[in-house]
Amino acid sequence: MSALCLVAALSGCKADAPSGLETRTATFAKHHIFIRNASQRNPQQYTHDSWQDGKEAFSHYCVACHGADGQNTGVPFATHLSPPVPSLASAEVQSYTDGQLKYILDYGIRPSGMPSSKGTLSDDELWSIVIFLRHLPKLGSQGVPDMYTH
Amino acid sequence: MKARFVLLVLLAGVFTAGLFSTHKVKAQAAPKRIEITAKKFAFDPGTVTLKKGEPVVLVIKSADVAHGLRFRELNLNVKVGKGGTAELPLTPDKTGDFVGHCSVFCGSGHGEMTMTLHVVD
């Protein structure tokens, strides 16, 4: 009996892909309840320089999970997490407002693997990352992150 | 002949005045140097007070890893290598508080590594 309970408990911990219902529920909750600052505007305008700033800041902290293109290219575990690492070009991510994207960068998303960046990156850098997210490079165009090529 | 002499004297006068005025400008322009130490995850001093219109050179010294100092509002950015020194000349043309950030990723507290230029009249 105890062995049966142990097996049941361990199978409950298995990182299966979330069902469609789970995904839809979580997406709704994030967009409408948990992720705040929907009305906050990005104080920075899109320019080549601000995009470059965003790309550089993104390369310090985000590429490990999201790849250099923001679309998981070369990230070996991207599909093995539950929930899997989303492509930042996806409609689910792009439908957040700029303020919500900044909020996610600031505070992360619990209980997913998305961590907080507040204090690790400056506000300036985080807003420039939002610009980079709105103008992501083409899928695969940035190659595999260095850390996964050794 | 007399006209030529007068012209020569005038030219010499202008040239001499030019020399002195250049000398004066050079003497005025010698900028004040302010040393700032950058180390994980702070600048020391954290606030520097400057006078509007007065040229200065911020001398940034890294006490550990590579750092940078960027004032986005003032369009100024300088990077300093590990243990190195870099100079940032500037002449503030407006008053106010301007917050600069480390512009080279230096670790977990990088985002909080700031310093303030307090510019007064």
Side-chain angles (χ1 to χ4, degrees):
Chain A
M1 185 62 186
S2 59
L4 204 60
C5 287
L6 182 65
V7 169
L10 288 177
S11 67
C13 293
K14 191 180 170 195
D16 284 331
S19 69
L21 178 64
E22 283 176 295
T23 301
R24 283 194 299 278
T25 307
T27 301
F28 179 87
K30 283 187 289 184
H31 277 76
H32 300 285
I33 302 169
F34 298 120
I35 310 300
R36 299 176 198 169
N37 286 358
S39 60
Q40 194 175 14
R41 296 279 183 91
N42 191 339
Q44 294 180 29
Q45 304 293 319
Y46 169 78
T47 63
H48 179 68
D49 286 348
S50 63
W51 185 84
Q52 281 290 352
D53 287 347
K55 185 182 177 194
E56 187 179 335
F58 189 86
S59 76
H60 297 310
Y61 201 61
C62 314
V63 291
C65 296
H66 292 291
D69 59 1
Q71 291 152 83
N72 310 340
T73 297
V75 179
F77 53 83
T79 56
H80 301 165
L81 296 178
S82 183
V85 181
S87 164
L88 301 179
S90 66
E92 185 203 332
V93 174
Q94 290 295 322
S95 58
Y96 286 116
T97 67
D98 283 1
Q100 285 178 308
L101 289 176
K102 171 68 163 44
Y103 186 90
I104 292 168
L105 292 171
D106 274 338
Y107 301 106
I109 303 177
R110 291 179 189 170
S112 81
M114 178 66 193
S116 157
S117 305
K118 207 171 182 63
T120 302
L121 294 171
S122 69
D123 263 10
D124 261 12
E125 289 167 327
L126 293 173
W127 280 120
S128 67
I129 288 177
V130 172
I131 287 174
F132 179 71
L133 296 180
R134 293 299 190 204
H135 302 86
L136 286 169
K138 283 186 179 170
L139 177 66
S141 65
Q142 306 300 301
V144 174
D146 282 349
M147 64 193 78
Y148 300 128
T149 60
H150 304 299
Chain B
M1 184 65 185
K2 190 179 176 185
R4 189 184 284 182
F5 177 74
V6 169
L7 188 63
L8 204 63
V9 169
L10 277 174
L11 278 174
V14 168
F15 180 70
T16 311
L19 277 180
F20 277 111
S21 67
T22 306
H23 180 72
K24 192 177 174 186
V25 167
K26 276 184 182 170
Q28 279 180 344
K32 187 177 167 185
R33 295 171 68 81
I34 300 170
E35 287 196 3
I36 296 166
T37 302
K39 64 177 182 180
K40 291 182 174 182
F41 296 102
F43 292 99
D44 183 25
T47 301
V48 170
T49 300
L50 303 177
K51 273 194 167 181
K52 181 183 163 186
E54 197 172 276
V56 293
V57 177
L58 303 183
V59 182
I60 320 294
K61 291 186 173 182
S62 164
D64 44 36
V65 299
H67 292 286
L69 180 57
R70 180 180 192 178
F71 296 92
R72 182 181 285 274
E73 268 183 283
L74 304 174
N75 199 26
L76 296 170
N77 192 10
V78 66
K79 295 183 178 183
V80 52
K82 178 183 176 183
T85 300
E87 296 190 356
L88 180 63
L90 75 139
T91 307
D93 59 0
K94 49 188 172 184
T95 58
D97 285 346
F98 305 96
V99 179
H101 295 88
C102 179
S103 58
V104 175
F105 187 74
C106 59
S108 60
H110 162 77
E112 291 174 343
M113 190 167 165
T114 63
M115 74 158 294
T116 301
L117 290 182
H118 182 57
V119 183
V120 297
D121 272 323

